[in-house]
């Protein structure tokens, strides 16, 4: 592993990869979406239980690289309890972090992924779970794939 890559795998990422949060199929889910990142081989299913407009429960299942799994795990901790609009706003912040490397300090856990911006192929890994979660939120019936997104 190069020095740059080891910087990429910071403590938050390692921790979420080792002990993923909210992992496993959510039996009470009323929304589910599949995410697929064929360029890296990452896959995930994101399960939501929506109460009205709010994410009451969230879970995920998947396999793939450390970045994709850690990012999806972290995402579930960030989105639980959020409304659809709040979830969209958080994704915009996260997307900004991973594409520019600029991280506001107040969202420090998401900022762990700032190093991803130096590895463009990894941006798809980092955003895969988020795309799946937003698809689930919107009730998008089609499986989501990073190939349908420009990033
Ligand atoms: Zn990946």
């Amino acid at each position: 592993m190069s020095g740059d890559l080891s910087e990429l795998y910071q403590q938050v990422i390692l921790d979420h990869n080792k002990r993923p949060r909210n992992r496993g199929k959510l039996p009470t889910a009323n929304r589910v979406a599949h995410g697929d990142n064929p360029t890296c081989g990452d896959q995930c299913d994101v399960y939501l239980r929506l109460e009205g407009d709010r994410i009451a429960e969230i879970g995920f299942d998947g396999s793939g690289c450390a970045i994709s799994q850690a990012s999806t795990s972290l995402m579930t901790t960030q989105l639980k309890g959020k409304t659809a609009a709040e979830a969209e706003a958080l994704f915009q912040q996260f997307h900004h972090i991973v594409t520019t490397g600029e991280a506001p300090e107040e969202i420090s856990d998401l900022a762990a992924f700032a190093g991803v911006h130096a590895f463009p192929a990894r941006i798809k890994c980092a955003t895969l779970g988020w795309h799946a979660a937003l698809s689930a939120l919107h009730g998008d019936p089609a499986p989501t794939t990073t190939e349908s997104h420009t990033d």
Side-chain angles (χ1 to χ4, degrees), residues 37 39-43 63-69 121-122 124-126 128:
N37 178 21
T39 58
C40 180
D42 310 319
Q43 293 194 41
S63 61
C65 68
I67 296 289
S68 70
Q69 298 303 296
R122 293 294 199 169
K124 288 182 175 185
C125 304
L128 175 68

Side-chain angles (χ1 to χ4, degrees), residues 79-122:
L79 292 193
K80 191 171 181 181
K82 297 292 193 298
T83 64
E86 289 167 341
E88 295 270 7
L90 268 176
F91 175 61
Q92 291 311 317
Q93 290 181 331
F94 182 70
H95 189 265
H96 183 78
I97 289 169
V98 296
T99 54
T100 66
E102 298 167 8
E105 282 180 17
E106 64 269 22
I107 43 174
S108 56
D109 276 4
L110 294 182
F113 289 85
V116 170
H117 88 281
F119 305 89
R122 293 294 199 169

Side-chain angles (χ1 to χ4, degrees), residues 8-150:
L8 214 168
Y9 291 88
Q10 293 178 31
Q11 203 55 44
V12 171
I13 298 176
L14 285 171
D15 181 54
H16 276 272
N17 192 49
K18 197 171 165 187
R19 297 186 300 121
R21 318 300 200 278
N22 304 304
R23 185 169 186 120
K25 189 175 180 176
L26 189 66
T28 53
N30 51 17
R31 295 284 180 85
V32 60
H34 181 71
D36 187 24
N37 178 21
T39 58
C40 180
D42 310 319
Q43 293 194 41
C44 69
D45 287 299
V46 174
Y47 304 92
L48 303 180
R49 184 168 67 79
L50 287 184
E51 276 180 3
D53 192 35
R54 192 171 290 277
I55 300 170
E57 289 183 272
I58 182 167
F60 81 101
D61 228 337
S63 61
C65 68
I67 296 289
S68 70
Q69 298 303 296
S71 171
T72 305
S73 169
L74 176 62
M75 175 204 73
T76 64
T77 68
Q78 299 285 313
L79 292 193
K80 191 171 181 181
K82 297 292 193 298
T83 64
E86 289 167 341
E88 295 270 7
L90 268 176
F91 175 61
Q92 291 311 317
Q93 290 181 331
F94 182 70
H95 189 265
H96 183 78
I97 289 169
V98 296
T99 54
T100 66
E102 298 167 8
E105 282 180 17
E106 64 269 22
I107 43 174
S108 56
D109 276 4
L110 294 182
F113 289 85
V116 170
H117 88 281
F119 305 89
R122 293 294 199 169
I123 293 172
K124 288 182 175 185
C125 304
T127 56
L128 175 68
W130 291 81
H131 283 306
L134 294 183
S135 292
L137 258 183
H138 298 147
D140 191 348
T144 185
T145 165
T146 50
E147 299 309 288
S148 61
H149 299 280
T150 53

